[in-house]
Amino acid sequence: MSTTKQAVQLPTLEQSRRKYDRLRVCRKCGRFTILPGDSCPDCGKSRLVPVMEQARRLTGRRMLNDILLTIILVIGAIVAAPTTTLIALCAGGGVMILAALIIVQRRFRERATLRQLSRLFWQERTAIYDGLVEDQRVGVELVRDGEEVEGYHILRQTAVVVHNDRLRLALLSLLQNFRLRSDMDLELESLITRDFDPLVAEYIGEVARLKRDIIKDKAIRYIIAHEPKILQMEQGWNILISVTSAMVRMKRYIALYPGFIRRYARHLPKERFVRLYRIVHSDSELLADALAQDLDSIRMELYASDTTFGGQTTGAQRS
Ligand SMILES: [Zn+2]
């Protein structure tokens, strides 16, 4: 590990109920942003509202339009009615229709708002994307000015809404400058790119070393899919061993990828090897796999006189 990395406190991303909670739109110029602050980064006006509120507003307007249209139709019918009986019928029917409309609108308001929100996301997708790309530029500038943590925080927030590999790699190369610790709020899955990049493999390896609990299917599949390329990396071997060490945490991963684990079992730290050995020996299906024979011969070779392996297993506990 290089010593040039800076020790930082990474801000925790507040757990937001929905990923668009912090996205706001300017009611003056239509700029979308996740940047904090009261004024719009484009026009400077303090007219930023959360997208949810904007959707609620648009839904209200749409509903009001429906009511006005109904009133106009009812009035039209009343005016056109030739007899007083028909006028009374039109007026009575009109009132009933209006009442029904208002009840239905009130009842489905929340659902209509959510539909409006997804319509807004679709219609404004380019504006949202452009706004967040601008936000990212602000983040990158902060990083350049030495405000790495703030910059990282902004990039990370834009990454919640905009998913692309370029942004993921930008975040990963920022993270490379920080000395990561296990007590940090580290993300993994959202940073895994579609295509292979050594930055991603390095990051997965580091997380596997620091916080093996967050190594899950997506990271494992990435590592397995790109194993040959990782082996060509300078730190590749260590990455593969760290990830295997993390996989040994759960029986499920051993059962899913016995072939991969076999290739690295010999090089696992002893404590991880013992764990793997015990899990395999506690499961009849795993015992039938070639992995089990391998483990036996590794044990004979490396740990012949070792008693830690014991008789019966307690492989059930997770570590
Ligand atoms: Zn604006």
Side-chain angles (χ1 to χ4, degrees):
M1 197 87 315
S2 84
T3 45
T4 54
K5 297 195 176 204
Q6 27 169 328
V8 291
Q9 190 64 52
L10 289 183
T12 13
L13 199 63
E14 72 268 33
Q15 288 301 323
S16 84
R17 202 163 49 86
R18 297 200 182 89
K19 58 182 181 186
Y20 43 78
D21 272 0
R22 63 179 71 79
L23 182 64
R24 295 184 298 167
V25 58
C26 173
R27 295 191 52 222
K28 175 83 183 153
C29 69
R31 160 78 194 265
F32 286 85
T33 182
I34 51 98
L35 296 177
D38 292 332
S39 46
C40 168
D42 260 12
C43 69
K45 295 272 183 319
S46 318
R47 297 194 58 188
L48 291 171
V49 291
V51 280
M52 193 63 180
E53 197 183 316
Q54 178 73 353
R56 200 164 285 140
R57 222 181 276 254
L58 291 173
T59 310
R61 199 182 295 163
R62 191 182 279 258
M63 288 182 162
L64 189 65
N65 282 344
D66 288 347
I67 290 176
L68 289 177
L69 184 69
T70 315
I71 291 176
I72 290 171
L73 286 175
V74 170
I75 291 176
I78 292 172
V79 170
T83 64
T84 33
T85 334
L86 271 179
I87 290 178
L89 265 176
C90 285
V95 168
M96 270 162 62
I97 289 172
L98 266 176
L101 180 64
I102 290 169
I103 289 169
V104 168
Q105 282 188 347
R106 197 166 283 184
R107 177 124 181 237
F108 293 104
R109 197 180 183 104
E110 210 43 41
R111 208 180 293 174
T113 304
L114 288 176
R115 221 178 10 233
Q116 177 66 50
L117 186 67
S118 54
R119 199 178 300 137
L120 185 138
F121 273 124
W122 174 248
Q123 282 167 351
E124 301 285 340
R125 59 193 184 283
T126 326
I128 294 174
Y129 190 86
D130 292 348
L132 293 183
V133 169
E134 278 304 311
D135 289 354
Q136 284 170 17
R137 205 159 293 162
V138 173
V140 170
E141 251 160 50
L142 281 172
V143 173
R144 212 170 284 152
D145 297 344
E147 311 247 8
E148 262 114 349
V149 177
E150 281 77 5
Y152 169 76
H153 195 41
I154 287 172
L155 291 179
R156 197 174 163 190
Q157 285 184 324
T158 63
V160 176
V161 181
V162 176
H163 305 272
N164 68 56
D165 280 5
R166 218 180 38 162
L167 174 61
R168 291 189 183 104
L169 293 174
L171 281 169
L172 285 170
S173 56
L174 267 178
L175 279 169
Q176 261 196 338
N177 300 315
F178 304 147
R179 200 182 308 127
L180 303 178
R181 295 188 318 267
S182 57
D183 61 329
M184 282 174 177
D185 172 33
L186 298 174
E187 287 176 84
L188 181 59
E189 308 232 312
S190 59
L191 291 173
I192 296 178
T193 49
R194 231 165 37 117
D195 301 320
F196 176 73
D197 195 287
L199 269 178
V200 184
E202 265 169 39
Y203 184 66
I204 295 177
E206 190 155 5
V207 171
R209 208 170 47 76
L210 289 171
K211 225 177 176 176
R212 57 172 77 114
D213 288 21
I214 55 175
I215 300 290
K216 298 201 174 110
D217 295 89
K218 195 172 174 189
I220 294 172
R221 280 200 303 270
Y222 188 89
I223 293 294
I224 293 180
H226 303 294
E227 189 185 352
K229 285 183 202 129
I230 296 172
L231 277 170
Q232 287 167 13
M233 293 167 57
E234 198 187 328
Q235 287 294 315
W237 186 253
N238 290 336
I239 294 171
L240 293 162
I241 305 283
S242 302
V243 171
T244 311
S245 292
M247 286 165 76
V248 165
R249 178 174 105 252
M250 285 172 81
K251 189 198 267 185
R252 194 165 78 83
Y253 297 136
I254 302 173
L256 275 172
Y257 309 107
F260 178 82
I261 291 182
R262 250 179 96 188
R263 290 196 279 284
Y264 303 96
R266 174 180 298 270
H267 308 280
L268 288 176
K270 183 180 162 197
E271 168 260 334
R272 299 318 282 168
F273 180 79
V274 172
R275 183 176 170 79
L276 170 64
Y277 186 90
R278 285 184 174 163
I279 293 180
V280 169
H281 275 258
S282 70
D283 186 283
S284 54
E285 259 173 59
L286 284 175
L287 262 180
D289 196 279
L291 171 66
Q293 282 104 63
D294 272 23
L295 293 186
D296 279 331
S297 49
I298 296 169
R299 183 191 164 179
M300 296 304 280
E301 242 177 85
L302 301 178
Y303 310 105
S305 56
D306 208 301
T307 51
T308 359
F309 292 84
Q312 257 325 301
T313 75
T314 47
Q317 74 227 98
R318 292 168 72 179
S319 69

